[in-house]
Amino acid sequence: MSNNSANQLQDLQYFGEFGGVNPSISDSSTYTFLSAKTMFDTFEGNTEGCYLYSRHSSPSNLYLGEALAALEGTETANVYASGMGAISSVIMQLCDAGDHVVSSRTIYGGTYAFLKNFVKKFAIETSFTDITSIEAVEMSINSRTKMIYCESISNPLLEVADIKALSELAKKHGIPLVVDNTFAPLSIPAAYLGADIVIHSLTKFINGTSDCVAGAVCGTTAFCLGLKDVNNGAGMLLGSTLDSLRAASILKNMRTLHIRMQKHSQNALFLAQKFENDGFRVVYPGIDSHPGHTIMKNQMNTNYGFGGLLTLDVGSLENANALMERMQTQKLGYLAVSLGFYKTLFSAPGTSTSSEIPLEEQLEMGLSNGLIRLSIGLDNDIERTYQTMQECMMQLNIRPQGPVTV
Ligand code: PLP
């Protein structure tokens, strides 16, 4: 697979109002019209190139949207105030009361809670399914199903979705495939592989500096315009629009995404291999023991590697907590949720980002107590990081648990 996305991003060259090398930031919530008729036409969605109100769109949001559309190779993209703002808008836009969603059972805890609990208000039901079994996904589809939802690489178990196969299935049933590609920007070209709508939490790798929350929906012009419709667009009416100042800063950070993804992946692969060789239970899509390794290899853009996330099972929650605290003291990173930062971030998902998932369901999907999710940083000397991690484990008497059984 080629690295077209990074080239397309590089070719987006803007000029600011006074010839600046970055586009000017739109510092207004509302916009003037020279004629009342143009204002009316804009409300009706009939005037191209006119801005109405920044909850609808703004020049800064459109620039960032253009960059995200180039990243995913979609017609266009909308930006939101958070990843959840993007996810909830898409689900509410595609589903009416009484509809049904087929979703992967291993997804980010917030998305899981939204689908399992929140949309009950609208009698929308979700079947949570093993996304790695195309048969199980097909069996879950019924006449009320409005979409298949999954993450390209799932949070936190790092299951790899076969996007091509899921897309064929979705097409066969005439429903869209919605893919959250937060864990694999540039690595997995989700839209190219057949996803109809691609979502990102920009909070993570795409922004990369852990200084804001933001989200994106990449898709067709018709769908993205629908989300902005003043009469029934979920994005416009639920109001989760991104602020222009943030859109401008995320666009600047995106310029280094290709270099950062390469380094995150390189460092994560190094640690995954080392800890697996030491006998630890490691899950990382880049190692042969991962059940989705072949699918990942077939659908990835090799320039950006297997991603920056890995999980390490250290046997118990006590071990996990002690190790994370020790690693933080040793300056290896932060005991914090989220991912995609320049420093390594680690958390025990069962008691944090996936705590919305009931305990028995966590165990059923393989989310064990001792699991630590690590978002590997841009460490300059990863061998040194490995040695310090090893020392932390030895000091705490944390020993390998044996190979992972999936
Ligand atoms: N999607 C994935 C895969 C995530 O990991 C997260 C947050 O951790 C989200 C979506 C939600 O994004 P945000 O926190 O920007 O709302």
Side-chain angles (χ1 to χ4, degrees):
M1 219 162 276
S2 71
N3 61 349
N4 279 346
S5 301
N7 291 345
Q8 276 160 19
L9 261 173
Q10 187 182 316
D11 291 345
L12 288 179
Q13 185 164 316
Y14 302 113
F15 296 94
E17 200 180 348
F18 304 104
V21 294
N22 289 305
S24 302
I25 299 172
S26 45
D27 197 21
S28 296
S29 58
T30 192
Y31 302 84
T32 53
F33 290 88
L34 293 180
S35 89
K37 163 102 177 54
T38 320
M39 181 187 271
F40 174 76
D41 289 344
T42 307
F43 257 100
E44 297 289 296
N46 295 332
T47 316
E48 283 241 336
C50 279
Y51 296 97
L52 180 65
Y53 185 63
S54 285
R55 176 156 47 80
H56 182 254
S57 79
S58 65
S60 295
N61 285 11
L62 289 188
Y63 284 129
L64 178 60
E66 208 173 313
L68 288 154
L71 171 78
E72 283 298 343
T74 53
E75 284 175 12
T76 188
N78 294 349
V79 291
Y80 292 89
S82 68
M84 281 311 297
I87 292 164
S88 54
S89 295
V90 167
I91 293 168
M92 296 316 294
Q93 192 72 8
L94 291 176
C95 293
D96 289 330
D99 283 341
H100 174 253
V101 174
V102 173
S103 169
S104 164
R105 64 181 181 180
T106 77
I107 48 172
Y108 164 60
T111 313
Y112 181 91
F114 186 77
L115 283 170
K116 178 147 185 170
N117 309 324
F118 192 87
V119 295
K120 266 198 196 147
K121 291 182 205 295
F122 308 98
I124 296 168
E125 265 185 332
T126 305
S127 298
F128 292 99
T129 315
D130 176 1
I131 204 72
T132 64
S133 162
I134 300 298
E135 297 74 38
V137 176
E138 180 152 38
M139 297 253 296
S140 303
I141 296 173
N142 66 40
S143 58
R144 294 179 297 123
T145 308
K146 288 291 151 54
M147 68 170 119
I148 300 176
Y149 185 93
C150 68
E151 292 171 0
S152 54
I153 300 180
S154 76
N155 184 358
L157 293 178
L158 310 180
E159 282 180 348
V160 177
D162 185 342
I163 297 174
K164 232 180 200 163
L166 288 166
S167 152
E168 279 162 21
L169 184 67
K171 283 191 175 55
K172 181 172 150 194
H173 290 271
I175 49 178
L177 172 65
V178 180
V179 176
D180 178 337
N181 203 15
T182 298
F183 275 30
L186 287 174
S187 289
I188 297 187
Y192 173 86
L193 293 164
D196 299 287
I197 297 162
V198 182
I199 295 176
H200 281 282
S201 165
L202 304 178
T203 314
K204 313 292 165 30
F205 290 105
I206 290 183
N207 185 52
T209 44
S210 288
D211 56 357
C212 72
V213 284
V217 174
C218 309
T220 61
T221 306
F223 183 72
C224 290
L225 276 180
L227 282 166
K228 288 189 201 172
D229 190 287
V230 293
N231 291 308
N232 49 33
M236 178 68 182
L237 298 176
L238 296 175
S240 55
T241 311
L242 182 61
D243 180 72
S244 292
L245 285 173
R246 272 305 175 197
S249 72
I250 295 168
L251 178 61
K252 283 178 273 190
N253 286 4
M254 251 185 104
R255 298 305 192 181
T256 57
L257 179 66
H258 58 301
I259 301 166
R260 289 185 282 114
M261 286 315 294
Q262 286 169 358
K263 189 69 175 166
H264 283 298
S265 293
Q266 204 183 318
N267 284 351
L269 179 64
F270 180 90
L271 291 179
Q273 285 171 336
K274 285 283 188 194
F275 283 116
E276 189 176 56
N277 286 343
D278 291 344
F280 280 97
R281 294 181 179 177
V282 179
V283 174
Y284 183 65
I287 50 182
D288 286 345
S289 58
H290 190 290
H293 181 59
T294 308
I295 294 170
M296 179 81 194
K297 275 205 300 195
N298 289 341
Q299 64 183 12
M300 73 191 277
N301 186 333
T302 49
N303 292 314
Y304 306 102
F306 296 89
L309 271 297
L310 63 86
T311 69
L312 190 63
D313 190 339
V314 290
S316 68
L317 184 58
E318 292 69 40
N319 277 352
N321 288 343
L323 180 60
M324 291 190 296
E325 286 170 10
R326 181 70 57 107
M327 283 168 55
Q328 182 162 255
T329 318
Q330 294 305 311
K331 301 189 173 63
L332 285 177
Y334 296 104
L335 201 182
V337 297
S338 202
L339 46 123
F341 193 37
Y342 78 94
K343 284 285 277 189
T344 296
L345 300 178
F346 29 84
S347 55
T351 50
S352 59
T353 51
S354 297
S355 57
E356 294 91 340
I357 302 173
L359 199 60
E360 58 287 6
E361 288 176 40
Q362 289 190 21
L363 293 174
E364 201 179 310
M365 63 174 70
L367 210 174
S368 55
N369 263 340
L371 197 85
I372 303 177
R373 186 191 73 185
L374 295 111
S375 166
I376 306 300
L378 303 173
D379 303 23
N380 177 48
D381 182 353
I382 197 67
E383 173 74 46
R384 175 172 164 260
T385 302
Y386 166 65
Q387 280 165 10
T388 315
M389 268 182 88
Q390 252 193 337
E391 281 161 24
C392 293
M393 287 173 172
M394 276 178 332
Q395 286 156 6
L396 295 165
N397 203 20
I398 294 173
R399 307 219 171 276
Q401 302 290 310
V404 69
T405 46
V406 189

